[in-house]
Amino acid sequence: YQRRVRVRFRHRMSQGTFLCFLLFCSLVSGQVLIKNFQVTSPLGPWKVGIFDEVRQLAHFFSNTPDQSSILTLSFPSERWGSLQTPATLPLPLTLSTPSVESAAPFFLSREFFVGGNNKVSKFDLDNFTEVASASVEYSAKALAVKQFNDDYSDSLLFAANVPPAGVSAKVYVFDARNLKPLYTLSLPAEDGGVTQLFFDDKRSFLYLTTNSLPARIVRVALVGRVLQKVDHIELPTGWAVLNSGFIDKNNDYAYFGVGAPQGRIVRVDLSTFTRSNVFDAPSTPAFSHAIYDAVRGYSYWVSDVSPVVYRFEMCNFKYVDRFNISNKPSGFALGANGLILSSETTTFTLVNVLDNVTCPDSSAFRRVASRKESCLIDVRAGATAVDKNVAYFVTNTPESSLITVDLNSINLNSTKALKLGVGYGRSIVHDHQRHKLFVGLNDRNAGQVVKVDVSPNRPAQVLGSKHALHGVQSLALDQTNNILYVCTNPNKPGLTSGAIHKLNGETFELIDTVDLQAEDGGCGVLLYDNLRDALYAGTNSFPAKIVKITTNPFARQTDITLNAQFNQTSTGFIDSSHGFAYFGTWYPFGAIIKVNLQTFSLVDILAPPVDVPGFTLGLEDPANGVSYWFTNQNPSEILRVRLCDFSVVDSFPLRRGEGVPQAATLSAQGGLVLATSPLTPSGRTSQCGSLIQLTPARCFACPETDGGLSRVGTVIVPSCSARDIRAGFTDYHTGTAFFLSYTVPAYILQVDLANLALKSRLALPGNLGSSAAYDGSRRKGFFGMATTPGAIAKVDLKTFSVEKTLSTAYSVKALAYDEVDGVLYAATNTPGNSASFIHKINALDLTVVSTIMLEARDGAASTLQLDRKRGYIYVGTKASPARIIRVKLNRFERINYIEFPTGFNEIGSSSVADGDRAIFSINRPFPRLVSVGFDGFKRMETLDFPANTPAFSAAVNNPVTGYSLWFTDSAPSTVYRVRLCNFTIADKLQLRENDGVPRAAVYGLGKITAGSSCVLSNTENLCSSTFKSTFFQLKGGRPAKCDFTMAAEEPTTSIVNSTIVSLRFNFKGMLPPVRFCNSTTTK
């Protein structure tokens, strides 16, 4: 709808009437309401804004020469709730200050300050008359105010300028009451010009950001009325453009946006003036504005590249989401009820965030003790003797030492170090039954394993050692059988294949050896599962592997290869009681890998939203149901991950100077004891480390589930097997699925849905597989190729071989199969989608029986749905508005069509059938679902989704629970679960970014199996040759329940095969055997 509002402006003593009209209705994005309206006016651009909370007015100032214009908007509280268009007030709309760059309110006397070219001015907030002014050199880029709620305390205005390159910037101090100059500080020329200015009244410091290269954050002390530069933080080489930021005084942090060479957010601890965290996800843009919403606990970061706003929780510096707006903002004003954004095009956006942040206790741990320890030099491993409540740590020094720490002492008293005779301790395990320690040493010449007696009531003593051919990286112990497993890596150049040795723990006799493969790159961590009597080795390779080794016989069984971005495992642990292993990666960032030990399948990969450095170690705390992961940075950070739902609960930063935790263990009372070393580029140090003891603040219970979706498993398929899965179906006779790849050549993958194991692979005589259909009674599969000319391959699923092929003139877009009559229907499109044809094909010999050409106005075919009961097939098209064409099967002719209203454009390739209706997806201008009834051929219902939801790339029905699942074409993708009984959204599940874009999904064995592709701007493009598809399974969810005045029909249990063209399938389980990875036959 369109709503007319009369708006009056007065500009330079002239008056005009303009039209303010609504561009969009209120859009709901989660808990964010967005509304855009435009003022058609010669004024602007509106670059700087302030908000008057008393009168609920937003004032924006234009960045124009000579005089600056003012636009005032009225926001009564009742207008925010429904986001009504604000009223524009007719006020004197000029300021004498030219080219306004900055503004700051002075609420003590209802006045405000503005800074512009060569001038700082003070204005009355009610009538905009100038009260006072002062001159400054160059442009007053930034302002800050020190003010109090009384008439006698010193109130000051600070202003900073941006001079030409090579000229010192100045910071001015004015009396805020009359703008009388009090003091001027000239900064060193190398600091550059000032881009932002913030005052910390808690500490009486000013914080300035500069345009130097690299950029600096300068700290200036206010002593009385005099400014003194104290110090500065210089950002890393190449980091520049600090144009956004704010101070969070409640939590003693400042946040600054870095614009080059990529977008980052730097967090500075104001109590120590140290950089404490950096948000620098690879896709982050430069930020033009940063807004701190203390009322709701969020900050909003506005992209300087595109009209996107990123939202963060401030209590834990956590990225929440982002939302799109119509135009890139040029300024903002923050009110108690929401945010107003202006733009260069005079389009304004109202943003109302409805929810407040609810964060856990900010103190994840209680610090018990922390002290420097002279004997703690480059500690690398630790263990606890629970019966004595002591911790043992081993050093990575030329002559390694064993250090005993008394955990009963509040001061963490350590005993004299026990020299082990050789150097470079890397690992340690404790035999609780026999009171023995085994220490692995990574000596440059030859590794050793040392056994130490740590019996009660006697000093620790070395009992013996065992030489190893190479350095010892990791140890694992089978206490029941007293078997020690030793993972060694060669130190000599050119040798990369490590080995795993099986030793008698009593005699040190070598029992057997398993050599790792050269491509494993050596061993990073070795874990032993006592319940399943198996070993799991994380490798140092690029990408990393998880290798399973059976102990009897002692042999390598299989492995899991991760995606290219997950390299070099560095730590891990086994949760035997729940049947999972967890591995931490080292390069290029820390990620946590979760593996199901029962099926030896990849369950999930947790890459925190903010890229963190590699993990030095991971530790399980079973009493609290969490694990701790320690980052290789200074100051280091401890991530606490809840095991029940594999999610990051919170994080806890250590203090700068405490070093990096290289060893950690739990005390008998459940405290966390850390031994740290200074962070050095070489990885070795001769400096003292610290002992730190922490107690978890509280235990985090898992959230109650409502029967929603949960991830069952994940597997990553090597690019040599297939990549970019586009279609598939389930063979209910065997419990397997067949998936089709969009590759050259096209491949069919046969996957066991019980464990996601790849059973076989078949190369087709065609390229770019795009669609599939299933003949369950005869166990045949039909696979369409999106090439021009196209092809359809008929495959015998019993023998898994190609039976026959059919050449088509054009690209095959969609397939549907009539199992009773044995007829295959195919939709083909010409290049450029200029024409579409529907073919009726005898499935027995793949001969074309008849062909229909769609009308030009119908658009290109995108999906097919078969209604055999009534004898029709329905063709969804990409027309604008979208159309669904109905074709009679027996006469095979076009009967009629449904054309959707304007704004319902392009039916997507994802569709499902549900009894007497079909559900189609609309792609543009934003995604919707529409249901079409087969009886009477009519549009029934429309289901809208939150604003900015991407189009759908895959869909599938769960006939048992009565839901359909819809996957968004994005990475990370979101799975929406839609109740079929009343056509409403039940819930959604956020997938991981490394899952890719799901483009195919099938149902079978009670689970949804989906597979991913890369992000594509055009689905006709190919993924790169190195891309690896991720396949995952989802299950769970109680049957859908709907409220009706009359009872709804039970969800159908019959499976109707839909022809989903762009579907992604997920595989869980083991990777394909080597024979499926012949690089000479794979493109």
Side-chain angles (χ1 to χ4, degrees):
Y1 65 91
Q2 181 172 300
R3 182 178 179 185
R4 296 178 179 269
V5 180
R6 290 186 61 83
V7 185
R8 295 167 59 200
F9 294 86
R10 197 173 298 136
H11 179 56
R12 298 184 185 178
M13 306 306 292
S14 64
Q15 179 176 332
T17 303
F18 303 91
L19 180 66
C20 185
F21 62 93
L22 190 65
L23 289 180
F24 297 106
C25 297
S26 300
L27 304 178
V28 181
S29 176
Q31 296 297 314
V32 180
L33 298 180
I34 301 173
K35 188 173 187 177
N36 301 316
F37 68 96
Q38 186 177 41
V39 177
T40 306
S41 162
L43 307 181
W46 310 107
K47 190 172 182 179
V48 179
I50 60 173
F51 197 88
D52 181 357
E53 291 286 355
V54 175
R55 300 178 62 189
Q56 288 291 293
L57 300 176
H59 306 291
F60 287 90
F61 312 111
S62 67
N63 182 245
T64 50
D66 300 329
Q67 290 181 320
S68 297
S69 304
I70 305 173
L71 174 66
T72 298
L73 304 175
S74 175
F75 290 87
S77 298
E78 63 273 9
R79 291 185 181 269
W80 280 103
S82 58
L83 284 189
Q84 299 179 37
T85 303
T88 306
L89 302 184
L91 294 173
L93 294 175
T94 59
L95 297 178
S96 58
T97 306
S99 301
V100 171
E101 290 278 354
S102 54
F106 188 51
F107 295 120
L108 176 64
S109 56
R110 287 195 54 74
E111 295 167 321
F112 68 95
F113 304 97
V114 295
N117 282 345
N118 305 110
K119 185 177 182 180
V120 174
S121 301
K122 181 180 180 182
F123 291 88
D124 187 291
L125 191 57
D126 293 315
N127 55 28
F128 293 95
T129 57
E130 186 175 78
V131 177
S133 66
S135 298
V136 296
E137 292 183 2
Y138 309 110
S139 175
K141 177 71 174 180
L143 300 177
V145 181
K146 175 187 175 184
Q147 54 186 321
F148 296 92
N149 293 322
D150 56 61
D151 293 327
Y152 51 85
S153 298
D154 214 4
S155 294
L156 304 174
L157 172 69
F158 308 98
N161 66 1
V162 183
V167 179
S168 297
K170 293 183 178 180
V171 183
Y172 301 87
V173 183
F174 299 98
D175 187 323
R177 292 176 174 81
N178 53 26
L179 288 190
K180 176 183 177 181
L182 301 177
Y183 188 81
T184 301
L185 171 68
S186 294
L187 297 175
E190 56 267 24
D191 282 342
V194 178
T195 57
Q196 297 177 97
L197 181 63
F198 306 99
F199 180 66
D200 178 6
D201 52 16
K202 183 177 180 180
R203 299 171 183 83
S204 289
F205 282 124
L206 282 170
Y207 301 99
L208 298 75
T209 61
T210 71
N211 61 5
S212 59
L213 186 64
R216 290 182 175 183
I217 302 168
V218 180
R219 181 167 62 162
V220 175
L222 175 66
V223 182
R225 296 182 172 187
V226 176
L227 298 179
Q228 298 176 357
K229 178 181 175 179
V230 179
D231 50 11
H232 67 263
I233 297 173
E234 184 164 289
L235 299 183
T237 302
W239 292 24
V241 189
L242 296 176
N243 286 332
S244 56
F246 57 84
I247 284 183
D248 178 3
K249 298 179 182 179
N250 295 329
N251 296 301
D252 289 335
Y253 287 115
Y255 298 84
F256 303 102
V258 180
Q262 70 175 59
R264 294 179 172 92
I265 301 173
V266 175
R267 183 171 73 176
V268 173
D269 187 334
L270 297 181
S271 62
T272 60
F273 194 53
T274 56
R275 200 179 76 198
S276 65
N277 204 346
V278 176
F279 175 85
D280 60 352
S283 59
T284 304
F287 297 108
S288 60
H289 299 85
I291 305 114
Y292 177 39
D293 187 352
V295 174
R296 295 166 187 81
Y298 291 111
S299 66
Y300 313 104
W301 296 79
V302 181
S303 169
D304 194 32
V305 179
S306 56
V308 180
V309 179
Y310 294 76
R311 180 163 59 144
F312 286 77
E313 290 180 356
M314 292 313 301
C315 56
N316 52 19
F317 193 36
K318 176 184 177 183
Y319 169 71
V320 179
D321 57 15
R322 67 181 188 178
F323 47 89
N324 295 334
I325 53 181
S326 294
N327 293 78
K328 188 173 72 172
S330 60
F332 69 88
L334 178 67
N337 292 305
L339 178 66
I340 310 104
L341 299 171
S342 61
S343 77
E344 299 285 348
T345 62
T346 69
T347 296
F348 284 70
T349 301
L350 312 183
V351 180
N352 189 5
V353 178
L354 304 179
D355 61 333
N356 294 341
V357 174
T358 302
C359 283
D361 191 336
S362 59
S363 179
F365 297 91
R366 181 174 61 87
R367 186 182 291 268
V368 178
S370 175
R371 68 185 182 88
K372 288 281 186 180
E373 176 56 57
S374 60
C375 58
L376 283 180
I377 298 176
D378 201 1
V379 173
R380 288 302 177 96
T384 300
V386 179
D387 54 343
K388 298 191 297 183
N389 198 27
V390 297
Y392 300 101
F393 297 102
V394 62
T395 65
N396 182 47
T397 50
E399 188 177 6
S400 189
S401 300
L402 181 70
I403 301 160
T404 305
V405 178
D406 182 3
L407 300 182
N408 294 306
S409 168
I410 191 170
N411 295 319
L412 295 177
N413 294 330
S414 59
T415 64
K416 185 177 180 180
L418 174 67
K419 301 296 184 181
L420 298 180
V422 288
Y424 305 110
R426 287 298 181 90
S427 55
I428 186 171
V429 292
H430 184 216
D431 185 346
H432 301 277
Q433 298 179 13
R434 302 168 184 86
H435 304 291
K436 302 293 187 295
L437 281 176
F438 296 96
V439 180
L441 301 158
N442 191 33
D443 190 80
R444 286 189 176 91
N445 298 317
Q448 287 195 38
V449 180
V450 176
K451 182 162 60 173
V452 181
D453 185 354
V454 290
S455 298
N457 304 319
R458 71 173 72 171
Q461 60 179 335
V462 176
L463 296 179
S465 63
K466 174 72 174 179
H467 285 272
L469 180 61
H470 302 303
V472 177
Q473 176 66 25
S474 185
L475 298 175
L477 179 66
D478 174 5
Q479 288 196 63
T480 303
N481 300 301
N482 197 13
I483 300 295
L484 180 68
Y485 297 96
V486 182
C487 184
T488 63
N489 291 334
N491 284 323
K492 296 180 180 179
L495 298 176
T496 58
S497 57
I500 299 173
H501 309 279
K502 184 177 183 179
L503 302 179
N504 185 308
E506 183 63 31
T507 65
F508 268 175
E509 176 188 0
L510 177 62
I511 301 172
D512 204 351
T513 295
V514 172
D515 290 323
L516 295 176
Q517 299 170 358
E519 56 267 25
D520 294 335
C523 176
V525 62
L526 183 66
L527 307 176
Y528 174 69
D529 177 14
N530 62 305
L531 293 183
R532 296 159 191 85
D533 195 24
L535 289 166
Y536 303 92
T539 71
N540 277 327
S541 54
F542 288 71
K545 296 181 181 180
I546 311 299
V547 181
K548 180 179 181 181
I549 298 168
T550 59
T551 59
N552 190 18
F554 191 48
R556 180 181 185 134
Q557 186 180 79
T558 185
D559 62 64
I560 296 172
T561 302
L562 303 178
N563 265 346
Q565 67 265 41
F566 305 112
N567 307 307
Q568 295 184 304
T569 58
S570 55
T571 182
F573 63 86
I574 281 185
D575 179 7
S576 291
S577 59
H578 296 99
F580 296 106
Y582 299 85
F583 297 86
T585 65
W586 183 257
Y587 182 83
F589 53 82
I592 306 170
I593 315 300
K594 182 177 181 180
V595 175
N596 186 320
L597 299 181
Q598 186 65 37
T599 61
F600 192 59
S601 58
L602 181 64
V603 178
D604 204 353
I605 299 176
L606 179 59
V610 179
D611 287 351
V612 299
F615 294 118
T616 57
L617 69 149
L619 183 68
E620 182 190 16
D621 183 357
N624 286 318
V626 296
S627 61
Y628 309 114
W629 299 84
F630 305 82
T631 62
N632 184 44
Q633 60 185 356
N634 188 14
S636 182
E637 194 165 16
I638 307 172
L639 299 183
R640 184 155 54 166
V641 176
R642 194 162 44 201
L643 296 178
C644 55
D645 61 356
F646 199 43
S647 63
V648 176
V649 177
D650 52 24
S651 62
F652 179 77
L654 298 183
R655 295 168 181 167
R656 182 171 291 275
E658 285 185 327
V660 178
Q662 300 285 357
T665 186
L666 295 173
S667 68
Q669 291 81 19
L672 182 61
V673 183
L674 315 177
T676 71
S677 296
L679 180 66
T680 59
S682 64
R684 288 196 173 116
T685 179
S686 59
Q687 302 177 34
C688 297
S690 299
L691 280 174
I692 303 169
Q693 186 169 16
L694 306 170
T695 300
R698 58 183 172 134
C699 178
F700 282 86
C702 272
E704 295 184 3
T705 60
D706 60 351
L709 289 171
S710 62
R711 182 188 291 258
V712 180
T714 307
V715 69
I716 300 168
V717 176
S719 54
C720 61
S721 293
R723 60 187 179 276
D724 197 359
I725 306 300
R726 293 296 181 101
F729 53 76
T730 299
D731 180 8
Y732 297 97
H733 297 277
T734 60
T736 61
F738 294 86
F739 300 106
L740 180 63
S741 71
Y742 192 79
T743 53
V744 180
Y747 287 96
I748 304 172
L749 303 182
Q750 184 183 14
V751 177
D752 189 338
L753 296 182
N755 56 16
L756 279 184
L758 180 58
K759 300 183 68 174
S760 190
R761 185 184 74 152
L762 176 66
L764 295 178
N767 304 324
L768 307 183
S770 61
S771 51
Y774 174 57
D775 179 356
S777 60
R778 301 169 186 84
R779 296 206 58 221
K780 309 290 183 183
F782 302 92
F783 301 91
M785 311 297 151
T787 54
T788 301
I792 298 173
K794 180 181 180 181
V795 174
D796 187 330
L797 302 180
K798 298 186 290 295
T799 62
F800 202 39
S801 59
V802 177
E803 190 173 288
K804 197 171 184 60
T805 60
L806 168 67
S807 294
T808 61
Y810 304 113
S811 168
V812 179
K813 184 61 178 176
L815 295 175
Y817 183 67
D818 182 347
E819 195 168 307
V820 175
D821 292 338
V823 176
L824 178 69
Y825 298 93
T828 63
N829 293 339
T830 60
N833 295 324
S834 57
S836 286
F837 301 86
I838 311 301
H839 309 279
K840 183 177 183 179
I841 302 168
N842 184 334
L844 183 63
D845 57 5
L846 285 191
T847 57
V848 178
V849 177
S850 184
T851 296
I852 296 173
M853 180 177 178
L854 299 184
E855 297 179 359
R857 290 175 297 176
D858 290 337
S862 57
T863 186
L864 297 176
Q865 284 295 341
L866 181 67
D867 174 22
R868 194 185 182 284
K869 177 180 176 181
R870 297 161 188 81
Y872 294 101
I873 192 167
Y874 302 90
V875 185
T877 73
K878 294 183 177 181
S880 297
R883 287 186 176 188
I884 297 176
I885 313 301
R886 184 165 64 160
V887 176
K888 186 67 175 175
L889 297 183
N890 56 4
R891 302 194 303 269
F892 202 61
E893 62 181 7
R894 181 181 188 277
I895 302 299
N896 53 2
Y897 64 90
I898 293 175
E899 184 171 284
F900 290 90
T902 301
F904 286 67
N905 303 330
E906 293 189 17
I907 289 179
S909 56
S910 303
S911 63
V912 297
D914 174 40
D916 292 329
R917 66 175 176 175
I919 301 174
F920 298 89
S921 62
I922 299 291
N923 281 351
R924 301 178 188 280
F926 48 83
R928 309 170 191 171
L929 297 183
V930 292
S931 65
V932 174
F934 292 153
D935 283 329
F937 188 42
K938 57 186 178 182
R939 180 164 68 96
M940 299 171 64
E941 296 176 280
T942 299
L943 179 59
D944 292 320
F945 287 80
N948 308 316
T949 300
F952 295 109
S953 58
V956 64
N957 277 350
N958 185 333
V960 175
T961 59
Y963 292 100
S964 64
L965 279 71
W966 298 81
F967 299 79
T968 62
D969 191 352
S970 58
S973 179
T974 300
V975 188
Y976 285 92
R977 205 161 53 137
V978 175
R979 300 181 188 91
L980 295 175
C981 51
N982 62 4
F983 204 45
T984 58
I985 299 173
D987 52 27
K988 64 180 180 180
L989 174 68
Q990 183 80 42
L991 301 177
R992 310 282 189 203
E993 186 167 2
N994 43 276
D995 287 331
V997 181
R999 297 199 192 278
V1002 299
Y1003 173 83
L1005 301 186
K1007 294 173 284 189
I1008 302 296
T1009 303
S1012 65
S1013 167
C1014 58
V1015 177
L1016 296 169
S1017 58
N1018 185 338
T1019 55
E1020 294 181 2
N1021 295 338
L1022 291 168
C1023 293
S1024 70
S1025 59
T1026 59
F1027 177 78
K1028 297 180 181 179
S1029 291
T1030 300
F1031 299 91
F1032 54 91
Q1033 283 186 321
L1034 307 174
K1035 73 170 186 179
R1038 292 185 287 268
K1041 293 183 178 180
C1042 300
D1043 295 327
F1044 293 102
T1045 54
M1046 295 187 301
E1049 295 180 3
E1050 291 293 325
T1052 177
T1053 56
S1054 61
I1055 305 298
V1056 180
N1057 289 300
S1058 61
T1059 58
I1060 302 174
V1061 175
S1062 293
L1063 298 186
R1064 298 247 174 210
F1065 297 53
N1066 293 325
F1067 299 49
K1068 167 190 174 183
M1070 293 174 284
L1071 292 176
V1074 177
R1075 67 177 182 273
F1076 297 130
C1077 295
N1078 186 345
S1079 60
T1080 60
T1081 61
T1082 302
K1083 294 184 180 180

